[in-house]
Every structure is written in structure tokens, then in C-alpha cells.
Amino acid sequence: MQPVSINAVERREILIHNDQYKMICFVFEPGNGLPNHTHNGLAAIQVVSGLVEIGFTDGTHHLLKPGDVLGFDATIEHNVIAKETSKVIVTIIF
């Protein structure tokens, strides 16, 4: 295994993918992100730069800023919307 840099990511890049988890780096422009979706398991989102809102269909919303990490049950439908140009790392645990 070798270190992976997120510095050159411009849109979306899978950083790590194995039998246990997947780690993806995204760059979102304001108003863009990920539409409502689910995963079979747990997930975490870490904000590297920018400001994003993650919303869940149960009505819960979180505004996340650089340095924030949120772990959550990804079987609950959720979405991510950038409030400004943002870079995030999403980890999905299978």
C-alpha cells in the first residue's frame, strides 16, 4: 500500500477500494454534490475545504466545515450539497 495524495483531485477520485471499505475524494462546486442515495453499511464524510450540508430523509441536517467529520448510518437515505467550492473525503464501510 502506498500513500495517496488528494491535492490533485479535481472532481472525483477513488483513493482506496478493498473488501472492507471504499474511500473517495470529491470536489463539488456550489449547489452541486450527491443526490439522495443509500449504501449498505456505515459511512463517514470529512470536509477538507469548503462548506457542505448533508441531509437525511429523517429530517436531520448538518452543516460541515473544514476539519469536521461525521460518521453515520448510510442505510438512511442522504444527500450532500456544497454551499461553496468544497473538497470532501467519503469513506464507505461494507
Side-chain angles (χ1 to χ4, degrees):
M1 182 171 290
Q2 296 293 318
V4 179
S5 175
I6 63 169
N7 293 332
V9 175
E10 294 183 8
R11 185 164 183 264
R12 175 186 185 270
E13 185 173 331
I14 296 173
L15 305 174
I16 301 169
H17 188 194
N18 58 41
D19 293 340
Q20 298 173 329
Y21 68 96
K22 180 173 14 177
M23 184 178 284
I24 310 161
C25 183
F26 293 96
V27 175
F28 299 128
E29 295 302 320
N32 292 328
L34 300 171
N36 281 352
H37 65 284
T38 61
H39 303 282
N40 292 328
L42 303 174
I45 183 169
Q46 175 184 359
V47 179
V48 176
S49 63
L51 188 67
V52 300
E53 181 175 29
I54 183 168
F56 297 88
T57 54
D58 69 359
T60 304
H61 292 268
H62 297 282
L63 193 59
L64 304 174
K65 61 188 181 313
D68 286 349
V69 177
L70 177 68
F72 59 94
D73 179 352
T75 64
I76 300 171
E77 192 170 13
H78 57 282
N79 63 63
V80 179
I81 303 295
K83 299 300 184 180
E84 59 189 47
T85 301
S86 302
K87 182 177 281 190
V88 302
I89 297 173
V90 174
T91 302
I92 303 163
I93 303 168
F94 304 125

